[in-house]
Amino acid sequence: MTAAMFRLYDVSLDGSLSGRNSHLKREQTIAVDDLLEYNTFVPVGHEGGPYRLSLALADERLALHISTENGAHVVRHSLSLTSFRRLFKDYFLICESYDNALIHPIPQRLEAIDTGRRAIHDDASELLRARLAPKIAVDKNTARRLFTLIYVLFAERDPAAVPEVPQPSLRKLCTGAGVGIAIGIEASRAEQRR
């Protein structure tokens, strides 16, 4: 069996984002692109894919539907999001702090906030890996991107759960890739040159 057999080739979120928050749409696009570029996804006891993953929220649960490339059902899994509530709140607050810090950027402050954001993302990805383990094995980076997508679904359901982005031209802010600092600093330098 090859690594290509245990990976996602398609990821979709139930419904489409309303478009009222371009920040969420950007988060979703970046997370899906990053996830499809590199991932490890192994449904327990299955011979191999590649796999299609559909994510949806139903009440306070995440519904995962996994099928093969030819559409054959692999597994449906329902995951309670109760244990993620604190992480969603912390993630929202750290993203909001980062967005606010971009208004008057100080590199050391941006770095500190970005370090905190990565720590929250790491905690969330480890919790997600542990909660998925009985049905699906994923690597750390796959779990990080999946958490971002779950956050997007959660935030779309509750618009107050995501900050407004003060500088919409920025490509990445809170996706967990660790490049938010460089982009924020470059954006502030560009503003200073004007």
Side-chain angles (χ1 to χ4, degrees), residues 4-97:
M5 294 178 68
F6 292 103
R7 65 181 322 271
L8 295 169
Y9 81 93
D10 185 50
V11 177
S12 63
L13 276 65
D14 183 41
S16 60
L17 294 177
S18 65
R20 69 175 175 252
N21 192 316
S22 60
H23 175 70
L24 283 180
K25 185 66 176 166
R26 189 170 46 255
E27 291 290 314
Q28 176 184 339
T29 300
I30 292 167
V32 168
D33 288 347
D34 289 349
L35 183 59
L36 294 179
E37 185 176 327
Y38 176 80
N39 67 78
T40 301
F41 194 85
V42 184
V44 174
H46 196 264
E47 297 81 35
Y51 301 102
R52 172 178 289 162
L53 173 65
S54 176
L55 300 170
L57 288 182
D59 298 320
E60 295 297 315
R61 302 185 74 76
L62 175 69
L64 297 96
H65 177 253
I66 302 156
S67 58
T68 61
E69 195 171 25
N70 64 7
H73 170 77
V74 175
V75 69
R76 283 187 196 270
H77 185 52
S78 182
L79 184 68
S80 172
L81 294 177
T82 303
S83 57
F84 289 89
R85 282 205 161 286
R86 180 191 57 80
L87 291 165
F88 288 146
K89 181 179 177 183
D90 291 348
Y91 194 64
F92 163 76
L93 292 173
I94 200 82
C95 287
E96 185 175 51
S97 294

Side-chain angles (χ1 to χ4, degrees), residues 114-184:
D114 196 54
T115 298
R117 181 195 48 76
R118 278 193 311 261
I120 293 167
H121 220 140
D122 286 343
D123 290 349
S125 68
E126 288 307 312
L127 176 60
L128 184 59
R129 287 178 76 190
R131 299 292 312 286
L132 289 175
K135 298 280 185 177
I136 307 156
V138 296
D139 67 348
K140 182 178 179 177
N141 286 328
T142 301
R144 288 173 64 88
R145 300 305 175 255
L146 288 174
F147 173 75
T148 300
L149 293 175
I150 296 166
Y151 175 75
V152 165
L153 282 171
F154 179 79
E156 176 65 12
R157 178 180 277 183
D158 181 9
V162 66
E164 289 298 317
V165 180
Q167 298 179 11
S169 63
L170 300 178
R171 183 172 179 270
K172 288 187 178 184
L173 293 174
C174 292
T175 62
V179 298
I181 292 172
I183 292 170

Side-chain angles (χ1 to χ4, degrees), residues 66 68 99 102 110 112 143 155-156 159 163 178 194:
I66 302 156
T68 61
D99 294 341
L102 287 174
L110 291 172
E156 176 65 12
R194 288 185 190 170

